[in-house]
Amino acid sequence: MTETAAEFMREGQALLAGGSQTEACLAFCRALDREPRLVAAHYNLGAVLLMSGRAREGLPCLMTAAMLQPGVAQLIIALARALVETGEAGRAASLLAKACREQPGDAALREASAQCPPPVTMDGRLDGFATRIAAAEGNAMYAEAMAAHEAGRVGEAYSRASELVWIAPQSVAVWSLLAETALRAGHGDHAEMCARRALAITPKNAQCWAVLARMVGEAEGRSDDAGPIWQAALNLDPVNLELFAQAASWHDRHLDPEAMLALIETARRAGADFTRPDLLDVQARAQLRAGKLEAAHASIKQSLAGPGEPDQLRSRHFTRGAIADKLGQYREAHAAFLDGNALLEAVWEQDGPCDHTMVTRRIESLHRRLDAEIASGQSAVADSGEGPDNIAFLVGFPRSGTTLLDTILRSHSRVSVVEEKRVLGDALRSVVSGMSGDESNFTEDWLDRLELSDTGVLRASYLEQMARHAGEPLASDRVYIDKLPLNMNWAPLIHRLFPRAVFILAGRHPLDVAVSNLAQDFKPNNAMLNMTSLARIDRLYDLSFSLWEAFEAWREPVVERIAYEGLIQDLEASVTPLMQRLGLEFEPAQARYFETARQRGRINTPSANQVTQTLYATSRERWRHYDFAFEGEDSGHLRAWAKRMGYAIA
């Protein structure tokens, strides 16, 4: 088994010789996990990325190699090439000119410099590739970038942080900020390479190890690599409770309770104060995962007795609810979920930026437009044969099994799933300006302009965004699935763009769906603020399925229904007809979907813990434990839809 940096370097070289560039890069990264200042690993990683057309990702690696071993012509020339490839020819010329002044006898440097003449308008502030400015100006730029980052202005923060690396190329704070903003902007590989540069600058900095651990933990297929990096961080600062909480959160998401409990015990021995309410919450979740329910119940009660910010208290109420549910104390669990959701509403809607009615108003508007189309007798689909037939859409009400289906489908060798990314929203806003922030934030005028937009232009924009989010050019021999549950409400528009597409509609007992949504501590946004009470869930469910029902009856799209209950009873029998509809055969790996899930890294939904396990039936008819909650008018639509779908409600 490969263990040391030297072994990973040999493995990477062998993979590179065999033409496996992606795997070689991974081996070099693993070498750096063990020796973060290994020059050869930084150089090889940067060079391979550069050769692969990924100069932006390779640039931090080559900067680091040149920093760690200054004056080496090969490293300087490689860095200059990366600068040229990223549009920084002036910096490349300045770097080479400075190197020639310092090493006038180096023929390779002179030749490279001759091939990279300075541009006509050269920035006089350049010193090598860096820009010399006053410290006060640099500090002001950093403050502006940090303010944009903290305010959630992702594009602005990423742009400002990218500019700062030329001002302060040796600053750990700048590279860490760029890593954070790159990750939020969806550039995970760039984020990781920036984090590796920060760590190489100061390898004894526990927080730099923590930043790298988070970047690696977010990457698909790298879950196992993040654990040792977290451990390295904690080895450097074992009683840093903030660091410990971050590491524990990672273990919590990756469902390793024994590792979490071991982490807690190590922190205790190092003197960590576990009377802190937030750490007691962490401990309670670890005990819950390990099946130590009474201990978990005691920990969360102690946690709730302490102080905390509203979001921290919210987390503790949801933990309390999950523990009570496992203990069979369903009324206590229900009360805890209501308490948590009440805090969610108070902080994020009553006193915050969210508005759950934006989503419901959007659906009502889309339904009115579909009704007008039906009344006209003229379908908005001009040609049912237009568009590719290898695009599918996985939709359904949240908590209906879409993440389980996603993982089963992506386990197929010819399927790529883009999970809960704003592919459609990005495509629409790139053609018709006016949608901002949350995808429910638009006007009726914007919808009017969208309806008048050329279908071919919208389709091309979508395919461009799908390729970007998939991370690969779209191939005709693969099936690409866009998984975003509430895109079911955009079905009329999607069908207009892709009349040959398959809609995969995930279904589940509406009352089970309601319980599951009520019990989730969702990331706050306009859509998820509809999950904070039965009344809100009831309304959103009714609006969503009423629109879907009208759409399906009128347009007659290609639809494959997958019931969660059937899936957990006989996975292969449930999925095989869908695979055939997609032009594929069921593969044995799909029955081992949980192996795929464990290798995926971050799963972007609250279902991460379920899909990393084999199928189980405990979520079926879970609503019966909470039947006392379904007796009033606030669940009337849910009960009606359950009857229409053939589910028992008594």
Side-chain angles (χ1 to χ4, degrees):
M1 181 179 178
T2 307
E3 293 283 354
T4 68
E7 290 170 336
F8 277 115
M9 288 297 296
R10 287 194 292 271
E11 180 181 299
Q13 296 284 16
L15 288 164
L16 196 57
S20 301
Q21 292 184 342
T22 300
E23 291 77 6
C25 284
L26 187 56
F28 296 140
C29 284
R30 287 170 174 158
L32 288 171
D33 292 345
R34 286 144 182 85
E35 294 184 29
R37 291 172 64 88
L38 187 59
V39 176
H42 282 288
Y43 173 74
N44 287 355
L45 183 56
V48 174
L49 290 168
L50 185 60
M51 289 187 297
S52 304
R54 300 166 64 193
R56 179 181 63 179
E57 289 84 353
L59 184 59
C61 308
L62 295 171
M63 289 174 70
T64 302
M67 174 193 76
L68 293 173
Q69 201 165 329
V72 177
Q74 180 184 7
L75 303 183
I76 295 169
I77 292 168
L79 174 55
R81 181 183 167 193
L83 288 165
V84 170
E85 292 293 325
T86 54
E88 297 288 351
R91 296 185 189 280
S94 178
L95 170 70
L96 290 167
K98 181 178 181 180
C100 286
R101 291 194 300 271
E102 293 173 348
Q103 302 179 69
D106 194 302
L109 285 173
R110 289 201 309 272
E111 181 181 354
S113 184
Q115 294 174 358
C116 186
V120 176
T121 55
M122 187 78 162
D123 187 345
R125 300 177 301 171
L126 288 179
D127 179 14
F129 65 77
T131 302
R132 297 188 306 268
I133 65 171
E137 184 180 353
N139 291 338
M141 290 177 64
Y142 179 81
E144 290 170 355
M146 182 60 75
H149 176 60
E150 291 175 347
R153 302 194 300 273
V154 177
E156 179 189 345
Y158 182 48
S159 176
R160 288 182 179 276
S162 297
E163 188 62 28
L164 275 168
V165 300
W166 308 123
I167 310 294
Q170 305 288 347
S171 169
V172 171
V174 165
W175 283 102
S176 296
L177 177 60
L178 181 54
E180 298 283 3
T181 59
L183 185 67
R184 291 183 67 179
H187 308 302
D189 289 343
H190 188 210
E192 180 182 339
M193 301 312 151
C194 293
R196 290 193 181 283
R197 175 158 173 78
L199 183 60
I201 294 170
T202 174
K204 297 299 184 182
N205 185 315
Q207 196 57 50
C208 285
W209 281 97
V211 171
L212 177 61
R214 287 194 293 104
M215 304 298 145
V216 171
E218 296 283 343
E220 187 163 328
R222 304 281 299 285
S223 177
D224 289 345
D225 290 340
I229 302 175
W230 278 117
Q231 192 58 60
L234 289 167
N235 288 343
L236 287 168
D237 196 355
V239 293
N240 184 326
L241 296 184
E242 297 304 326
L243 193 65
F244 171 82
Q246 292 177 46
S249 177
W250 179 85
H251 281 291
D252 188 27
R253 290 205 317 269
H254 290 78
L255 312 172
D256 189 354
E258 295 306 325
M260 278 184 66
L261 292 170
L263 200 63
I264 290 168
E265 185 55 35
T266 300
R268 282 187 191 281
R269 288 198 299 269
D273 178 12
F274 265 82
T275 62
R276 275 181 44 166
D278 57 336
L279 296 186
L280 286 166
D281 186 15
V282 167
Q283 177 173 279
R285 292 199 303 273
Q287 292 165 333
L288 169 63
R289 296 243 190 261
K292 301 175 180 179
L293 301 182
E294 295 297 341
H297 197 239
S299 293
I300 199 59
K301 285 180 67 177
Q302 188 178 352
S303 175
L304 279 165
E309 296 297 320
D311 281 343
Q312 293 176 318
L313 294 172
R314 186 186 86 223
S315 170
R316 295 172 206 170
H317 282 301
F318 279 104
T319 302
R320 168 189 159 218
I323 294 166
D325 180 88
K326 289 293 185 183
L327 286 168
Q329 299 170 3
Y330 301 113
R331 289 186 181 273
E332 180 185 343
H334 182 250
F337 297 143
L338 292 181
D339 288 342
N341 279 307
L343 283 168
L344 186 62
E345 286 185 21
V347 174
W348 288 93
E349 186 160 20
Q350 295 166 17
D351 299 323
C354 295
D355 179 359
H356 79 284
T357 67
M358 270 191 172
V359 176
T360 53
R361 294 198 306 269
R362 179 195 77 187
I363 300 170
E364 289 172 327
S365 176
L366 293 171
H367 200 155
R368 285 194 299 271
R369 291 165 187 271
L370 179 64
D371 285 343
E373 177 189 324
I374 295 170
S376 75
Q378 182 66 44
S379 173
V381 178
D383 183 351
S384 61
E386 286 189 326
D389 63 355
N390 64 333
I391 303 290
F393 296 87
L394 175 51
V395 299
F397 204 80
R399 308 297 297 167
S400 292
T402 53
T403 302
L404 175 58
L405 261 176
D406 162 352
T407 309
I408 293 167
L409 290 167
R410 74 169 63 230
S411 300
H412 194 283
S413 60
R414 289 174 54 198
V415 171
S416 295
V417 180
V418 174
E419 180 199 24
E420 305 212 5
K421 303 294 184 183
R422 294 181 173 180
V423 184
L424 182 64
D426 288 348
L428 298 181
R429 63 164 56 96
S430 72
V431 177
V432 184
S433 62
M435 176 193 282
S436 63
D438 190 295
E439 291 188 11
S440 61
N441 190 8
F442 54 78
T443 64
E444 291 297 309
D445 174 69
W446 184 84
L447 281 177
D448 291 339
R449 288 186 288 127
L450 186 62
E451 288 186 345
L452 295 173
S453 297
D454 182 87
T455 298
V457 173
L458 291 171
R459 182 186 302 120
S461 178
Y462 177 89
L463 293 173
E464 179 183 346
Q465 292 298 330
M466 172 56 89
R468 181 175 74 85
H469 284 287
E472 61 184 66
L474 302 186
S476 59
D477 62 346
R478 293 189 65 77
V479 173
Y480 296 90
I481 299 175
D482 183 346
K483 179 244 178 173
L484 190 59
L486 285 176
N487 265 356
M488 67 184 296
N489 295 314
W490 284 105
L493 174 66
I494 292 170
H495 187 243
R496 172 187 156 198
L497 305 186
F498 298 99
R500 302 170 69 194
V502 177
F503 286 92
I504 307 165
L505 180 64
R508 185 182 179 191
H509 195 307
L511 302 189
D512 279 337
V513 166
V515 170
S516 189
N517 277 293
L518 196 67
Q520 292 303 317
D521 186 10
F522 287 112
K523 180 179 179 180
N525 58 45
N526 288 346
M528 293 302 101
L529 262 294
N530 281 277
M531 305 302 179
T532 57
S533 68
L534 277 183
R536 290 188 178 190
I537 296 168
D538 183 82
R539 176 163 171 72
L540 182 64
Y541 195 97
D542 183 54
L543 289 172
S544 298
F545 275 93
S546 295
L547 173 57
W548 175 270
E549 189 177 68
F551 156 71
E552 188 174 5
W554 166 242
R555 294 274 193 83
E556 298 183 347
V558 180
V559 179
E560 283 291 331
R561 286 175 165 76
I562 304 287
Y564 176 80
E565 294 81 6
L567 196 61
I568 62 176
Q569 183 173 343
D570 191 332
L571 185 153
E572 184 172 350
S574 294
V575 173
T576 295
L578 167 60
M579 303 312 298
Q580 292 172 345
R581 176 75 79 173
L582 296 173
L584 304 170
E585 296 296 325
F586 184 86
E587 292 183 347
Q590 292 182 271
R592 302 191 303 276
Y593 68 91
F594 46 87
E595 296 175 1
T596 301
R598 289 168 185 160
Q599 293 301 313
R600 281 177 62 184
R602 177 71 180 270
I603 298 175
N604 297 319
T605 80
S607 304
N609 59 329
Q610 288 98 335
V611 299
T612 53
Q613 305 171 38
T614 54
L615 290 175
Y616 58 93
T618 54
S619 293
R620 186 175 183 176
E621 299 219 320
R622 182 187 179 193
W623 71 269
R624 293 189 180 279
H625 298 307
Y626 296 88
D627 57 358
F628 56 86
F630 292 102
E631 297 173 351
E633 293 182 4
D634 58 357
S635 59
H637 291 115
L638 289 164
R639 296 195 304 272
W641 279 106
K643 287 181 180 178
R644 292 172 69 174
M645 294 173 178
Y647 290 107
I649 61 169

